[in-house]
Amino acid sequence: MLNKLASVFVVIVMLVAVGCGEGGAVIEGKVALEDGTPIPRGVVYLNGTAGSFRGKIQPDGTYRIENIADGSYQVAVTGALDGEPVAEEMQYDEAGNPIQSKASQPKSLIDSKYSSPPDSGLSITVPGDDFDLSLAKAK
């Protein structure tokens, strides 16, 4: 009886250990403008009932997201800028009021609608979809 109980316990522990391991799908894709120009930086976000996931966009426009649960996701892309964000010192006008130089701040390469998963119009299903994203240019 004790051996049978020990065997059942070992089987349960093994099943729990297998269920707790990292798993899930790996998706890879490319983010580009509609004309095929790669987006060189930013983050791709997936938001769905199975959770939220994200992956950094590389300089060639590719991204990779690991350990994604199967399901449907709304997609957002943020940080797709035409240059690196610049940290600058605060400047002041003659009256001592703070001013900010607009020329040094990078601009978004893509339409602002892509920054919100429900508004982007982008969705994917894991597994199965093509994970390349073609985005409209900023207006």
Side-chain angles (χ1 to χ4, degrees), residues 9-137:
F9 178 73
V10 169
V11 169
I12 291 173
V13 169
M14 289 175 62
L15 289 173
V16 168
V18 169
C20 291
E22 286 191 24
V26 174
I27 67 167
E28 297 176 308
K30 189 166 189 172
V31 184
L33 295 174
E34 292 171 326
D35 68 3
T37 304
I39 301 294
R41 67 186 52 81
V43 178
V44 174
Y45 291 94
L46 306 181
N47 189 22
T49 56
S52 297
F53 304 89
R54 67 182 179 166
K56 184 177 178 183
I57 300 172
Q58 302 303 310
D60 64 354
T62 60
Y63 71 96
R64 176 183 171 99
I65 307 174
E66 300 178 354
N67 299 318
I68 302 171
D70 290 354
S72 295
Y73 296 90
Q74 293 178 318
V75 180
V77 178
T78 63
L81 305 173
D82 66 358
E84 292 289 336
V86 178
E88 60 183 61
E89 291 182 30
M90 185 60 78
Q91 298 177 7
Y92 299 89
D93 65 14
E94 293 173 3
N97 299 313
I99 57 173
Q100 183 177 4
S101 170
K102 294 178 184 174
S104 65
Q105 294 303 316
K107 296 179 181 139
S108 180
L109 294 170
I110 59 174
D111 191 299
S112 62
K113 72 178 183 180
Y114 297 119
S115 65
S116 169
D119 299 330
S120 73
L122 302 171
S123 64
I124 62 170
T125 301
V126 177
D129 280 348
D130 172 13
F131 304 115
D132 290 346
L133 303 171
S134 179
L135 309 178
K137 201 173 196 176

